[in-house]
Amino acid sequence: MQGEQLTRVTEVVERPTATRRWAVVGLGSRAELYVEALTDPARPDVELVAFCDSNQTRMDVHNQWLAARGGGQPVPTYPAAEFGAMLRRERVDAVVVCTVDSTHDEYIVAALDAGCAVVTEKPMTVDAQRCQRILDAQRRTGGSVTVTFNYRYNPVHAKVRELLADGAVGTVLSVTFEWLLDVQHGADYFRRWHRDKQRSGGLLVHKSSHHFDLVNWWLGDEPETVYADGGLSFYGAANGTRHGYRREYARAAGSAEAAADPFALHLADSPRLAALYLRAEHEDGYHRDSNVFAEDITIEDDVAVVARYTRGARLSYHLVAYSPFEGYRVAFNGSAGRLELTVRENEFALPPRSGGARVGLAPGAVDRASNNRALLTHHRLWQPPAVIVDEPLGDGHGGGDQRMLDDLLGGRATAASTGPGADGLGFAADHLAGARALALGLAANTSLRTGAPVRVADVLTW
Ligand SMILES: NC(=O)c1ccc[n+]([C@@H]2O[C@H](COP(=O)([O-])OP(=O)(O)OC[C@H]3O[C@@H](n4cnc5c(N)ncnc54)[C@H](O)[C@@H]3O)[C@@H](O)[C@H]2O)c1
């Protein structure tokens, strides 16, 4: 039954592999994962040939890191305005898009029009118009777009999909999903460009697109109607004042007020962050360490979403960005039982300047020193529960990052095990999966504005 449902939205993604010349656009934090992978001698089918970014300093830093790792010669760097020229001059076959979310569409469309395959970071984009441009360009060119929903590649998430496809809980009738971002990682979205809804789409787009993609993928279904309630409840100037957390400073660097603020990120404490951001800000004024209790935050930090899927399953989802610890719980209630996944990513969050284990960790990285663990339990009707998984998480989004790279870039021994997936349906997410995940977030954003339930088809079609 579920197996039939899952095949309905099978995604066929052409893997952009086989001795291809790759460029990376957007050389911030996330790009490092791709730069490393594209220069890994264990991946002989791919070659890194160029960088493009609006900030020259950050490209230079990535080139320095590349050389320091013994990853080869520095690659040519191009300013944003010369993206098209770069594709031609460097004979680029495939592009990784790692820029600020609201700019993804520009590079995806230009790359497709130049005949390149595209691997884009999530979210695919931030609004319906931009999404339509991408879908039109893909249709016009027939090109390949892969959205890097790395959470799909986390083995415990793949196990959930496999069990649901095998009918472990019968027909899925409802899903409850709670995701908690802690006051270290969660706060990070409020320090920089993510806090501007125009640039990130808000957390319902920027962050929840991962979670909505997982639900779409797990169920093999699409959302139909969405209702949401939420707001800025913890961060922001008024909340900070109300709860007694606000200190008077604009950004942490150079501020005495920020020195003892547990919510402040001190770029100078980390050689990596200082090189990538502090010493690059003279070019574009990008402050990576803004006060999270500031006036100009336009995104939500606490949202509840209720969605109905086309085959009738109900989703109840809650995202909180100010939790003491990080983790999530998702449960599938079905006609034959319940499948429940609980993931704790840490015991509690430490302030960035605590000298603790999480100092300098990239957002989303797993703190191995803390008590991280995944527990997957299968409850059949009238039977004692069976523990399917009870083990520590892997690094890099539960091990998902490396498996995703193996799938997209090939060349490593583990690639075969992650290839098309145990259920034969594939892990790689295409432009349609990108649109489906975005649609739920956009419909939820619309519902936040109007206070009414929203039909997904009224917001975005694909
Ligand atoms: N899948 C994941 O788990 C995951 C994790 C982190 C980030 N991401 C995604 O990766 C992307 C980058 O995030 P990040 O944390 O590295 O951000 P970042 O701010 O560190 O880097 C963004 C880079 O884009 C550049 N840039 C901004 N506007 C540009 C433009 N118009 N043209 C060219 N370059 C431009 C900036 O100069 C910067 O170097 C985002 O889309 C984010 O959602 C995904």
Side-chain angles (χ1 to χ4, degrees):
M1 176 67 182
Q2 277 292 308
E4 283 168 26
Q5 292 181 5
L6 281 165
T7 53
R8 212 171 73 82
V9 289
T10 297
E11 296 135 20
V12 181
V13 177
E14 183 211 336
R15 301 290 198 286
T17 54
T19 324
R20 293 222 175 166
R21 295 170 62 80
W22 288 73
V24 178
V25 56
L27 277 300
S29 293
R30 185 63 176 162
E32 194 177 6
L33 178 82
Y34 299 101
V35 173
E36 271 188 34
L38 290 166
T39 53
D40 182 348
R43 301 185 197 278
D45 291 343
V46 295
E47 188 185 353
L48 177 69
V49 297
F51 288 155
C52 177
D53 197 294
S54 47
N55 187 298
Q56 183 65 43
T57 307
R58 266 191 287 281
M59 291 193 282
D60 294 343
V61 167
H62 276 280
N63 259 331
Q64 286 154 20
W65 289 347
L66 181 64
R69 273 197 309 271
Q73 295 298 313
V75 298
T77 57
Y78 289 83
E82 290 182 26
F83 180 72
M86 173 191 77
L87 297 182
R88 288 188 298 278
R89 200 170 307 147
E90 305 297 339
R91 293 177 288 111
V92 174
D93 298 310
V95 177
V96 179
V97 179
C98 253
T99 54
V100 167
D101 301 348
S102 58
T103 66
H104 288 180
D105 64 309
E106 288 173 40
Y107 294 106
I108 296 171
V109 171
L112 286 172
D113 281 334
C116 298
V118 177
V119 168
T120 181
E121 261 304 342
K122 51 48 62 176
M124 189 166 77
T125 185
V126 296
D127 60 33
Q129 272 180 329
R130 287 175 164 93
C131 185
Q132 197 56 55
R133 283 190 68 212
I134 294 170
L135 297 179
D136 291 347
Q138 193 285 326
R139 201 171 300 124
R140 186 169 66 238
T141 61
S144 162
V145 179
T146 307
V147 185
T148 55
F149 285 127
N150 44 352
Y151 280 99
R152 290 187 180 196
Y153 293 85
N154 178 337
V156 75
H157 294 165
K159 190 71 192 166
V160 167
R161 177 171 163 84
E162 197 183 304
L163 287 166
L164 293 178
D166 288 348
V169 300
T171 301
V172 178
L173 304 173
S174 68
V175 182
T176 57
F177 198 170
E178 180 188 37
W179 198 287
L180 301 171
L181 299 167
D182 68 29
V183 278
Q184 208 251 68
H185 178 202
D188 217 42
Y189 299 110
F190 297 82
R191 295 189 181 113
R192 49 183 182 145
W193 55 265
H194 309 70
R195 74 197 210 162
D196 173 8
K197 205 158 187 176
Q198 299 288 331
R199 305 184 82 195
S200 69
L203 292 184
L204 282 166
V205 167
H206 176 82
K207 188 68 195 172
S208 306
S209 62
H210 271 308
H211 315 150
F212 296 154
D213 173 68
L214 279 176
V215 178
N216 298 347
W217 185 64
W218 278 327
L219 298 186
D221 201 356
E222 302 172 358
E224 198 172 53
T225 54
V226 179
Y227 172 75
D229 190 9
L232 186 64
S233 308
F234 183 83
Y235 303 106
N239 297 318
T241 304
R242 180 155 63 109
H243 301 130
Y245 296 126
R246 182 172 151 79
R247 297 172 194 227
E248 287 295 331
Y249 65 92
R251 48 100 46 112
S255 159
E257 276 288 310
D261 181 2
F263 291 95
L265 178 70
H266 302 281
L267 297 172
D269 289 357
S270 154
R272 181 179 187 276
L273 294 178
L276 212 49
Y277 302 104
L278 200 55
R279 290 198 286 277
E281 61 189 36
H282 62 280
E283 286 192 48
D284 53 15
Y286 173 10
H287 291 171
R288 174 74 179 74
D289 59 349
S290 298
N291 189 340
V292 299
F293 299 109
E295 292 285 355
D296 60 343
I297 294 173
T298 53
I299 65 170
E300 297 78 22
D301 57 18
D302 188 319
V303 275
V305 175
V306 174
R308 173 176 276 266
Y309 276 70
T310 66
R311 277 190 291 276
R314 291 176 202 98
L315 167 68
S316 152
Y317 168 85
H318 205 125
L319 179 73
V320 167
Y322 53 89
S323 168
F325 67 90
E326 184 126 329
Y328 50 99
R329 188 171 67 161
V330 58
F332 303 84
N333 302 300
S335 56
R338 174 178 165 100
L339 189 65
E340 188 172 308
L341 171 64
T342 306
V343 175
R344 279 295 286 259
E345 300 205 356
N346 60 17
E347 193 78 52
F348 63 99
L350 290 166
R353 186 172 263 181
S354 63
R358 297 198 68 168
V359 171
L361 276 184
V366 169
D367 173 6
R368 291 205 150 277
S370 72
N371 190 13
N372 67 73
R373 203 155 190 89
L375 176 65
L376 179 63
T377 315
H378 185 196
H379 304 258
R380 291 185 191 83
L381 295 182
W382 316 116
Q383 291 184 39
V387 173
I388 311 286
V389 174
D390 183 5
E391 60 190 30
L393 293 173
D395 268 335
H397 299 96
D401 280 345
Q402 284 311 318
R403 285 165 177 267
M404 178 183 76
L405 292 169
D406 290 347
D407 193 20
L408 299 183
L409 306 179
R412 286 164 62 110
T414 53
S417 64
T418 56
D423 54 13
L425 294 178
F427 283 88
D430 67 1
H431 53 288
L432 297 177
R436 279 195 290 271
L438 175 68
L440 215 164
L442 292 181
N445 271 336
T446 305
S447 181
L448 286 182
R449 276 199 309 278
T450 63
V454 173
R455 272 169 28 99
V456 171
D458 291 342
V459 174
L460 188 64
T461 51
W462 49 85

